[in-house]
């Protein structure tokens, strides 16, 4: 028996669009947009399609490869960057919608001087393979800045398969203790 | 992802005059566009539209574009709303996702998210593999032959418990709808999830003043401690005087196709003593009408138990939900 | 010794470049498309729309493939290469590769490929297909997968069990698991006059070099593989990945660099998983707890090529001393994604079953579970005359029980508010192995040294261990050692796998250091050299002779040389005929189960390990904590759900649950350190895997202690416990 395996596409939420098949149809025309954004203190100009995410713009257009693609679905946190000083997932952010400055792990250190959170990650061995570390650190910086009550809950949007979780908590506590002394 | 045109209106009028899907936080829309589940030809980035503001002077008024994290940490927000928000997603996603978008987020049903599979919610009439397939996370209340998908929002559960309303606007004008009525049961038309008209925009969420909702909480039971959707959740508020329940609000999530208000439990609680036994008795009616699948029968007892737990935690001096 | 990770500064600043972080001029992007059926033939593929889509450069399919040959290695056997035939054997099998100018163009065009299948019914359930079970082939160590040892005069294991005063038994099951390293499999490939260069995270650059050379039919010397940073592996990056094969072949065909990465969903179907297992265990014991008979029969799932066996029954061959033992291991070929090694293969699911059964036996005997284990400690593998070289498990338990407050445990747990609290324990074992390894040491005129090997550090800390052991062997401070990993240009060895790297590389470093220092001394005393004709010695970075000394750098400069190098090799040898080798550990955990809703929280964990010498204390603790968290994950979170038609119901990181930070408490790790120089000159036995072993059972045993509910499968979820909770 030959099965033309169907692809069940595609409706918007309401009202339903006509059912159409995904496979076999022609690609839609692409409509690029000019954008300008600030990344780690530098103004960058890009000419991209509106569907390009901040993560892919950073990694594949701007060669800012600190943020990592672990899932591309908002399910792991490896792509965490700050936009306007707040941690967000760059994989679910369209670069054309970014209006505020972007900071990635690549832009945290001042010259050779590590950010205190970066130094604490080194000191506490808060990483193993390091692939999630860029995102962990961007969340950890926010945890320190916001002086959050529950560090473990706050850091739960960043998966770590090596499971450095206790050491990540220790790194954040190290910075908070140092801040408290100051 | 299919190509689309992106515009960025800066006023409500411009947004309503334009065509296309509204993009706020993007945490649902961008995700589902990448999966080809949603394929808008035109997207309007409405983040520059002034739909912000948290006003707690008389009840609660939330601009639809307020971010979940900002609402959660606002001191004037009822505890069940704040706790529901703080137990949603992750801090990064809460920084992104808007309140209006949260109410419109789509089910996490594995078949809905996979365009190679049938799904009545995505393609009317194509079928529902969840009934005989991977149905553990699915709903036991408000289901139909066509669809058993769970509504994923936490804060919507708290909001329906508090009789929240949504303000809607389109080019023809504005209207206000109780959130409980805004959501539609799947019935034969699971693709119609809510009362939103084409081109209509949520502008505001309004929670009527309810002073005793200061005594409220949100309990979420899930397979891991954070960054996970509910197996079952309960938003409860109690007006307690002299060790008796004068009034109650109870709604549950994770178990129903829409945020689910439990008025029968509320009724059973009124006049009841503040005891574990009374809470158990009242929760006994929580799962009335439940129609579990083979994979999620546990949600029926879990639903009752979650309601009891929430009531107990709310009436204990020390919440017992913290880490041991 | 302890030192912070040498590569940590690069990793915390984003400057560590993993495979897909490489961007090359003119680079194209490839995107894999996968099957939506689990069993059948591809009848036709319509690629016209994809080919016509913006930016698309090529569309490769089994009808228009990139030619790839199947590589074969002694350890891994055949490695599957994509797009070579039209038969589909599992859901999510790669069936097309679309190459375009941008990532988005490649991804979006791949959605336009239409595939027509002749679909056949799929067999995907392990429990439902046991009649297809086949005897597993012998293990890598040559041991038969099934064996029986009986005491004199005992006719059968059934008789031995029948005559045991106390018998417990059960059927245990563990699900398919995915390594879920945070870095999806990916590669950047380009060709130039020197041949092929591939940047791709892998467990050993030299392994990937051999695979790619064989697949592409080029000389290995023309293949340069680069993986200085690997975003987690855990056994899942042992074989060369689909993106590496396809990017390399497409780059050759198209004459431009190609980057390709699997999507997270594709990682679950287009790499390989830990098999699902079913295990039946029966234990017979005397009333004092002495084991009389152990029976352990296992079935594991496999892909249709039977590419891997999860040897769970082997756990019962080594863990306890018993006069009667029968183990069997069967494999059931199914239409499921490929199967392979995953952290503690065999031991992790095997110990869940055996250590749960031991807890059941302790309950049946009304005996402390630690006492039961100590009473039956093994002296060596069953049926072998070779005893353990070094075993301090009793000390692990004694220290662990004291630190954990084990004496406060009651047989029925305790209650704190709304939480039912229980404690559990289990034994961890993992064999001490090593692989043949060669390292190169180069002494440089600036008084520093390079230590190089082609293996990898996917978070294990090997790079730092190389600096520490290189420093020790060369009698230098570790700051003067530059360890180098992850290039196929370096000598073969140091593959990350089997908890072998420290012992393997460390032994080779000892050999290479000896060789290079011998060379140094002979150069020093050669005619016309600074120490001509004198007896020289070496210490503390200096050559000494005739009452004078020079640093080796000064000596090299005096000789007009920039460097001298030597290689050193080491491999398992005579020691294998004298002893058996294993690491040991005692795992402890405390759980809290909510009396209303049955959610389980792990509130305390402790592991005490006897793993020989610990080279880098801090990183070792980190790795063991990580392993123990893997045990929690197995116990409470992870498991792939394969639907009847072969589709994965939860093949993404929202559905395939890994623990998050909030799930994990403080963890204590302690060591009982007795360097095992019978095994290797460094005395380290390896710690990459043992942290996982036993922990899932410790959690399950703690859940039993808290609730009285015995769950014989993982993950343990709320529905397993609800009915047994107090109302």
């Amino acid at each position: 028996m030959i099965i033309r395996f169907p692809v069940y596409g595609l409706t918007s939420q309401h009202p339903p669009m006509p059912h159409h098949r995904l496979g076999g149809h022609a690609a839609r025309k692409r409509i690029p947009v000019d954008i300008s954004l600030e990344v780690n203190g530098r103004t960058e100009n890009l000419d991209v399609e509106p569907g390009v995410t901040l993560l892919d713009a950073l990694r594949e257009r701007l060669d800012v490869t600190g943020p990592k693609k672990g899932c591309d679905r908002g399910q792991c946190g490896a792509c965490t960057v700050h936009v306007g000083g707040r941690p967000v997932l760059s994989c679910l952010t369209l670069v054309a919608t970014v209006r505020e400055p972007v900071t990635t792990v690549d832009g945290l250190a001042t010259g050779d001087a590590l950010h205190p959170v970066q130094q604490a990650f080194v000191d506490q061995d808060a990483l193993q393979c390091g692939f999630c570390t860029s995102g962990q650190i961007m969340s950890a910086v926010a945890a320190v800045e916001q002086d959050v009550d529950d560090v473990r809950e706050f850091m739960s949007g960043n998966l770590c398969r090596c499971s450095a979780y206790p050491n990540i908590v220790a790194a954040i506590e190290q910075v908070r203790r140092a801040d408290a002394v100051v | 992802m299919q190509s689309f045109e992106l515009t960025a209106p800066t006023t409500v009028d411009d947004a309503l005059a334009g065509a296309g899907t509204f993009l706020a936080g993007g945490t649902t829309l961008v995700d589902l566009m990448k999966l080809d589940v949603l394929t808008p030809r035109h997207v309007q980035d409405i983040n520059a539209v002034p739909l912000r503001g948290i006003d707690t002077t008389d009840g609660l008024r939330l601009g639809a574009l307020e971010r979940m994290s900002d609402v959660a940490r606002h001191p004037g927000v009822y505890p069940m709303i704040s706790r529901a928000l703080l137990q949603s997603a992750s801090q990064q996603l809460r920084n992104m996702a808007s309140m209006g978008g949260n109410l419109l987020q789509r089910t996490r049903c594995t078949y809905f998210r996979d365009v190679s599979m049938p799904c009545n919610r995505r393609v009317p009439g194509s079928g529902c593999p969840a009934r005989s397939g991977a149905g553990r996370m699915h709903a036991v209340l408000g289901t139909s032959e066509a669809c058993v998908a769970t509504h994923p929002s936490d804060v919507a559960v708290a909001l329906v418990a508090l009789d929240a309303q949504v303000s809607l606007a389109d080019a023809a004008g504005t209207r206000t709808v109780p959130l409980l009525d805004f959501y539609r049961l799947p019935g034969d038309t699971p693709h119609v999830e809510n009362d939103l008209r084409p081109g209509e925009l949520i502008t505001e969420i309004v929670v009527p003043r309810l002073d005793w909702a200061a005594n409220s909480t949100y309990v979420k039971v899930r397979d891991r401690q954070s960054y996970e959707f509910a197996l079952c959740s309960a938003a409860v508020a109690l007006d307690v005087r002299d060790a008796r329940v004068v009034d109650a609000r109870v709604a549950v999530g994770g178990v129903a196709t829409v945020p689910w208000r439990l008025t029968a439990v509320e009724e059973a609680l009124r006049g009841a003593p503040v005891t574990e036994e009374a809470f158990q008795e009242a929760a006994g009616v929580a799962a009335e009408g439940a129609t579990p699948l083979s994979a999620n029968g546990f949600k029926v007892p879990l639903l009752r138990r979650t309601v009891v737990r929430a009531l107990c935690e709310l009436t204990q001096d020390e919440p017992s939900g913290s880490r041991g | 010794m302890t030192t912070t990770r040498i590569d940590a500064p690069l990793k915390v600043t984003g400057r560590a470049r993993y495979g897909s972080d490489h961007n090359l001029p003119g680079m194209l992007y490839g995107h894999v498309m996968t099957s939506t059926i689990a069993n059948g033939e591809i009848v036709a593929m319509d690629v016209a729309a994809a080919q016509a889509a913006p930016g698309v450069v090529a569309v490769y399919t089994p009808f228009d493939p990139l030619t790839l040959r199947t590589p074969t290695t002694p350890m891994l056997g055949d490695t599957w290469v994509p797009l070579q035939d039209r038969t589909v054997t599992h859901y999510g099998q790669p069936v097309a590769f679309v190459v375009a100018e941008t990532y988005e163009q490649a991804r979006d065009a791949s959605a336009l490929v239409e595939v027509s299948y002749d679909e056949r019914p799929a067999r995907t359930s392990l429990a439902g297909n046991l009649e297809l079970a086949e005897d597993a082939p012998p293990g890598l160590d040559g041991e038969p997968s099934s064996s029986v040892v009986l005491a004199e005069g005992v006719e059968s294991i059934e008789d031995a069990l029948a005559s045991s005063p106390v018998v417990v038994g059960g059927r245990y099951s563990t699900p398919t698991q995915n390594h879920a390293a945070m870095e999806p499999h990916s590669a950047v490939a380009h060709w130039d006059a020197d041949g092929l260069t591939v940047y791709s995270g892998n467990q050993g650059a030299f392994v990937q070099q051999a695979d790619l050379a064989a697949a592409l039919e080029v000389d290995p010397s023309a293949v340069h593989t680069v993986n200085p940073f690997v975003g987690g592996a855990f056994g899942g990056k042992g074989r060369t990945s689909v993106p590496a094969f396809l990017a390399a072949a497409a780059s050759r065909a198209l004459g431009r660099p190609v980057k390709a990465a699997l999507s997270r969903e594709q990682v679950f179907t287009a790499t390989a998983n830990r098999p699902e297992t079913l295990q039946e265990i029966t234990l017979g014991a005397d009333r004092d707890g002495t084991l009389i008979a152990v029976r352990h029969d296992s079935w594991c799932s496999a892909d249709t090529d039977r590419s891997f066996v999860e040897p769970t029954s082997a756990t019962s061959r080594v863990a306890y001393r018993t006069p009667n033992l029968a183990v069997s291991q069967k494999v059931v070929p199914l239409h499921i994604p490929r199967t392979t090694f995953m952290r503690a293969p065999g031991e992790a699911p095997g110990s869940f079953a055996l250590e749960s059964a031991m807890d059941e036996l302790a309950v049946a005997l009304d005996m402390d579970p630690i006492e039961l284990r100590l009473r039956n400690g093994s002296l060596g593998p069953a049926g072998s005359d070779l005893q353990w070289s070094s075993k301090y498990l009793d000390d692990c338990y004694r220290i662990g029980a004291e630190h954990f407050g084990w004496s406060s445990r009651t047989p029925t747990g305790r209650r704190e508010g709304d939480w039912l609290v229980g404690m559990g324990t289990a034994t961890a074992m993992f064999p001490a192995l090593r692989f043949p390894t060669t390292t190169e040491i180069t002494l440089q005129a600036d008084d520093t040294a390079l230590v190089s090997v082609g293996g990898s550090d996917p978070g294990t800390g090997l790079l730092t261990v190389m600096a520490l052991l290189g420093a020790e062997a060369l009698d230098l401070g570790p700051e003067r050692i530059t360890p180098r990993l992850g290039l196929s240009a370096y000598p073969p060895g140091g593959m990350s796998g089997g908890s072998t790297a420290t012992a393997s590389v460390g032994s080779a470093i000892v050999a290479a250091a000896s060789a290079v220092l011998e060379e140094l001394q002979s150069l020093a005393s050669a005619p016309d050299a600074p120490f001509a004709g004198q007896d020289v010695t070496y210490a503390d970075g200096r050559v000494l002779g005739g009452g004078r000394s020079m640093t080796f750098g000064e000596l090299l400069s005096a000789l007009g040389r920039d460097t001298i190098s030597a290689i050193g090799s080491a491999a398992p040898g005579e020691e294998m005929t004298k002893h058996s080798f294993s690491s040991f550990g005692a795992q402890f955990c405390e759980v809290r189960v909510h009396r209303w809703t049955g959610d389980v929280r792990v509130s305390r964990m402790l592991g005490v390990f006897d793993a020989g010498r610990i080279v880098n204390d801090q990183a070792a603790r980190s790795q063991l904590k990580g392993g123990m968290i893997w045990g929690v994950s197995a116990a409470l979170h992870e498991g792939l759900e394969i639907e009847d038609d072969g589709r994965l119901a939860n093949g993404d990181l929202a559905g395939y649950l890994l623990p998050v930070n909030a799930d994990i408490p403080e963890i204590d790790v302690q060591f009982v350190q007795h360097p095992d120089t019978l095994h290797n000159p460094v005395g380290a036995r390896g710690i990459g895997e043992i942290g996982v072993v036993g922990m899932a059972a410790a959690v399950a045993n703690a859940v039993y202690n808290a609730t009285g509910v015995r769950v014989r499968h993982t993950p343990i979820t709320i529905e397993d416990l609800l009915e047994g909770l107090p109302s």
Side-chain angles (χ1 to χ4, degrees), chain C residues 34-382:
Chain C
T34 56
S35 73
T36 54
I37 67 164
N39 184 24
E41 299 293 321
I42 302 171
V43 176
M45 295 179 74
D46 182 351
V47 299
Q51 279 172 332
V56 171
V57 174
V59 180
Y60 300 104
T61 71
F63 297 87
D64 185 9
L66 292 158
T67 301
L68 292 164
R69 305 289 175 219
T70 300
T72 301
T73 60
M75 184 189 295
L76 298 174
D78 289 351
T79 290
W80 184 82
V81 287
L83 310 188
Q84 302 306 300
D85 72 59
R86 298 170 195 177
T87 303
V88 174
T89 63
H90 64 88
Y91 172 87
Q93 175 178 316
V95 295
F97 187 61
V98 179
V99 184
E101 297 287 344
T102 71
Y103 161 71
E104 293 81 6
Q105 288 169 339
R107 176 195 65 193
D108 298 347
S110 74
L112 305 177
V113 174
E114 194 169 16
V115 189
S116 302
Y117 299 101
D118 183 354
E119 188 179 11
R120 294 184 288 263
R123 297 187 311 269
T124 61
S125 160
L126 175 61
N129 288 288
L130 293 183
E131 73 278 8
L132 301 174
E134 302 167 0
D135 287 330
L140 279 177
D141 56 2
E143 287 291 334
S145 62
S146 299
S147 62
V148 179
V149 176
L150 296 173
E152 210 173 302
V154 176
E155 292 287 315
S156 69
I157 194 70
E158 289 81 3
D159 288 354
L161 287 165
S163 63
S164 300
V166 180
V167 177
V168 299
R171 176 186 257 208
Y172 304 84
S173 61
T174 65
T176 307
Q177 295 177 334
N178 183 269
H179 312 77
M182 295 311 300
E183 178 195 33
H185 299 62
S186 58
V188 173
H190 79 94
W191 294 75
D192 58 21
D194 289 337
L196 168 67
T197 301
V198 173
Y199 304 87
S200 178
N202 189 272
Q203 287 171 234
F206 60 100
V207 181
Q208 186 154 238
Q209 177 191 42
D211 281 350
L212 287 167
L216 298 162
E217 297 180 285
V218 295
D219 192 88
S221 64
V223 176
H224 315 284
T225 55
V226 184
N227 62 342
F229 298 99
V230 184
F234 314 113
K237 290 174 183 164
R239 289 190 161 91
T240 298
S241 66
V242 164
F245 285 126
L246 291 175
S251 176
R252 178 163 66 176
L254 299 170
R256 291 171 63 180
V258 175
K259 179 187 285 194
L262 295 180
S263 71
R264 175 54 61 181
E265 291 79 359
Q266 291 171 346
V267 170
F268 287 94
T269 69
T271 66
N273 300 310
R274 189 203 292 280
E276 181 182 0
T277 78
L278 278 179
Q279 303 174 60
E280 290 181 353
I281 294 184
T282 313
L283 304 177
D286 217 331
R287 294 200 190 280
D288 68 356
T290 306
L291 283 171
I292 295 171
V294 174
R295 178 172 187 159
H296 192 158
D297 299 309
S298 296
W299 295 258
C300 75
S301 64
D303 52 78
T304 53
D305 286 344
R306 300 147 178 84
S307 45
F308 179 72
V309 177
E310 184 84 18
T312 46
S313 290
T315 302
S316 287
R317 286 187 57 240
V318 295
Y320 297 106
R321 184 176 64 236
T322 174
N324 302 287
L325 173 76
V327 298
S328 74
Q329 179 72 54
K330 291 194 158 50
V331 57
V332 179
L334 299 170
H335 298 109
I336 58 171
R338 311 188 76 79
T339 53
T340 194
F341 303 88
M342 180 165 144
R343 201 174 192 177
E347 286 83 4
S351 66
F352 167 70
L354 179 62
E355 292 298 306
S356 293
M358 286 296 282
D359 199 64
E360 296 192 48
L361 181 58
V363 171
L365 292 162
D366 194 22
M367 189 174 198
D368 183 276
I370 294 177
E371 189 188 338
L372 175 66
R373 288 178 169 86
L374 296 185
R375 179 175 295 260
N376 292 289
S378 70
L379 302 173

Side-chain angles (χ1 to χ4, degrees), chain A residues 104-179:
Chain A
T104 74
V105 74
D106 316 76
L108 272 189
T110 309
D112 285 339
L114 298 182
H115 184 283
V117 170
Q118 291 174 317
Q119 185 61 51
F121 267 61
V122 174
D123 295 342
Q124 299 293 333
D125 204 34
L127 57 94
Q128 292 178 40
C129 83
F131 196 78
C132 73
T133 306
S134 308
Q136 300 279 1
I137 285 176
M138 298 315 287
S139 289
V141 167
V144 171
E145 287 173 355
Q146 296 175 27
D147 195 21
V148 298
D149 294 330
D150 188 342
V151 168
R152 286 185 166 88
E153 160 56 35
F154 191 86
M155 293 302 295
S156 286
N158 292 86
L159 300 185
C160 175
R161 182 54 152 168
C162 301
S163 305
Y165 296 132
N167 296 9
I168 290 165
V169 174
I172 293 169
E173 295 303 335
Q174 174 183 319
V175 179
R176 281 154 63 117
R177 275 198 307 276
D179 287 355

Side-chain angles (χ1 to χ4, degrees), chain A residues 162-163, chain C residues 343 404 428 586-589 602 604-609 621-635 659 664 666-670 688-696 699:
Chain A
C162 301
S163 305
Chain C
R343 201 174 192 177
F404 205 66
Q587 305 269 30
F588 294 84
C589 84
V602 176
R604 290 195 296 138
M605 298 165 74
L606 165 65
V608 187
F609 298 98
R621 285 175 197 282
S622 300
Q623 195 177 26
L624 285 159
K625 285 182 201 175
M628 291 163 72
I629 294 168
W630 270 53
V632 172
S633 182
I664 301 304
E666 293 270 333
I667 299 176
D668 190 8
V669 169
Q670 305 211 14
E689 287 158 283
I690 191 170
V692 188
V693 183
M695 188 45 87
V699 173

